[in-house]
Amino acid sequence: MSRPKLLLVYEPEKACLDRLVADGHAPERAGEIASYLAQSTDLAHEFDALAAACLTRGLAFTPVALDDAPAVFAGEDPKTTLVWTLTDGIAYFRGGAAPALARLRGLKTIGADDSLFALCQDKFRSGAVLGGLGLPVPQAGLARNGNWLVEPPASPAGWFVKPNRLGAKIGIWPDSRCNDLGHALDLSRRVFAAYRDDVVVQPYVAGRNVRASFLGLVPDTGVEALGVAFVDSGADFQTMADSMALYGGTGEAAKAAGDYAEPDLLPVADSQPVADAKIRAIAERLMSGLGLRDVFSIDLRVEADDTVHLIEFEVCPGLPCFDFRAYCRQQWDASLADAMADTAVSRLA
């Protein structure tokens, strides 16, 4: 029998950028879109550490660029090969193809099945599914280039406008929270012109931003291993500029200049244990009803009275990002490389 092997499939940031520019996207906008693959760029610096962590556990490690995956998968043994897909995507990004290709070849995978890789990238459709499961997700309208496809519900607090398939929860611009549906339609025109995307228009929900992270280091790990933290950046919501400052080119420049500042992570259970319990119940429902498993994250808003709003789920959380690294340290007392290697070994055991 061949040696057990972990294949980590990633979509390179540069490959995405080049493809988007070739498809006619303005270079600056293409750079913003491709910045969401910065985790692939960041994790590449740790491939040697991952290989060493796997080696000490009797496991081979091979990073695989997405375009090379079909040929690599064809030569692997389904009994001893595990595929971990680093990035999702069905529109601007293409990582959702990797788990489908793995299934086609009969290879084991880490994470949710490929249907959720597609669903999580379409926020309007995923919101409908989450609402059907009885989860507290805001209702949404959908607009394309200034025209309503689905009108949003009334909202005395105003609305929040975000791209449907890009960046999920970010608002792109500071005026993405608006009090006028005419302005929401104008934002949809701007998003369509810049990114060729529809917009989701949801009632604005108050509260603090929360990230719930999960890694099932061993099979059958439950929501007791969920890390639930307020993400306090000082802003009400994340814009494209904020995202670039954390993950994109401006973030790299800030790190080089010593000006990089990560948001504070504060355990929700310390100040709002009732909200923490609600979030764990939501995660349990997502695992049992939707099929999330192995590794995922959830973004929420929590009000002072413990009202919880589910914003989105991610099947490919940003593993090398500050929040997931902190989660691995606090929950599993492990570096990112060791946590990933232990998870892979447990699935191949």
Side-chain angles (χ1 to χ4, degrees):
M1 182 179 292
S2 58
R3 184 181 183 185
K5 179 184 293 185
L6 171 63
L7 303 180
L8 183 71
V9 182
Y10 65 99
E11 182 171 8
E13 195 173 353
K14 179 67 162 54
C16 177
L17 174 64
D18 291 345
R19 178 171 48 82
L20 291 171
V21 171
D23 193 38
H25 287 268
E28 185 176 355
R29 300 287 84 77
E32 292 173 347
I33 294 168
S35 73
Y36 284 97
L37 298 175
Q39 62 170 312
S40 297
T41 304
D42 293 342
L43 199 59
H45 299 303
E46 299 182 58
F47 285 166
D48 288 345
L50 275 164
C54 287
L55 183 62
T56 61
R57 294 160 174 82
L59 184 67
F61 170 74
T62 302
V64 180
L66 181 63
D67 288 334
D68 298 330
V72 173
F73 287 2
E76 297 299 336
D77 183 351
K79 295 185 178 65
T80 58
T81 303
L82 181 70
V83 175
W84 191 325
T85 303
L86 184 62
T87 49
D88 55 25
I90 55 169
Y92 307 98
F93 319 116
R94 301 169 297 150
L101 287 170
R103 182 161 60 89
L104 185 65
R105 304 300 306 187
L107 304 176
K108 301 177 179 66
T109 60
I110 283 282
D113 67 60
D114 44 286
S115 66
L116 294 190
F117 276 70
L119 182 65
C120 77
Q121 277 286 292
D122 189 312
K123 301 310 167 186
F124 185 77
R125 293 178 184 176
S126 66
V129 173
L130 296 175
L133 286 171
L135 294 169
V137 60
Q139 288 183 281
L142 186 69
R144 177 179 301 153
N145 197 21
N147 297 295
W148 291 117
L149 303 179
V150 178
E151 292 194 13
S155 175
W159 295 268
F160 188 68
V161 182
K162 59 187 180 183
N164 187 44
R165 300 174 303 169
L166 172 66
K169 62 191 174 296
I170 72 165
I172 301 294
W173 299 292
D175 60 343
S176 293
R177 180 188 174 186
C178 61
N179 295 308
D180 177 78
L181 288 178
H183 186 66
L185 286 177
D186 180 58
L187 285 167
S188 80
R189 295 184 188 95
R190 288 159 58 189
V191 167
F192 192 85
Y195 307 105
R196 305 181 193 172
D197 201 5
D198 300 339
V199 297
V200 170
V201 182
Q202 295 176 317
Y204 173 81
V205 293
R208 297 166 69 188
N209 295 317
V210 169
R211 168 68 55 81
S213 301
F214 181 86
L215 179 66
L217 206 71
V218 295
D220 302 321
T221 301
V223 294
E224 71 282 352
L226 195 72
V228 186
F230 289 114
V231 184
D232 287 337
S233 64
D236 185 34
F237 60 88
Q238 192 177 90
T239 64
M240 177 62 81
D242 297 330
S243 177
M244 292 292 287
L246 276 175
Y247 311 118
T250 57
E252 292 303 313
K255 290 175 185 176
D259 298 327
Y260 176 73
E262 294 175 351
D264 293 326
L265 296 172
L266 305 171
V268 173
D270 287 355
S271 58
Q272 293 187 243
V274 172
D276 180 83
K278 288 182 178 181
I279 291 168
R280 292 179 191 278
I282 288 170
E284 193 164 36
R285 181 65 171 148
L286 287 169
M287 294 171 79
S288 64
L290 193 63
L292 290 187
R293 63 174 183 261
D294 297 336
V295 57
F296 60 84
S297 66
I298 312 169
D299 286 294
L300 313 101
R301 297 271 274 186
V302 172
E303 299 190 45
D305 65 358
D306 294 321
T307 299
V308 174
H309 306 277
L310 172 60
I311 304 301
E312 66 163 1
F313 68 92
E314 289 288 351
V315 296
C316 289
L319 299 182
C321 296
F322 69 95
D323 55 304
F324 202 85
R325 288 183 190 275
Y327 165 72
C328 289
R329 290 193 302 268
Q330 293 163 8
Q331 178 60 42
W332 297 114
D333 191 25
S335 68
L336 177 62
D338 285 332
M340 292 177 68
D342 282 338
T343 302
V345 168
S346 74
R347 297 309 190 274
L348 284 166

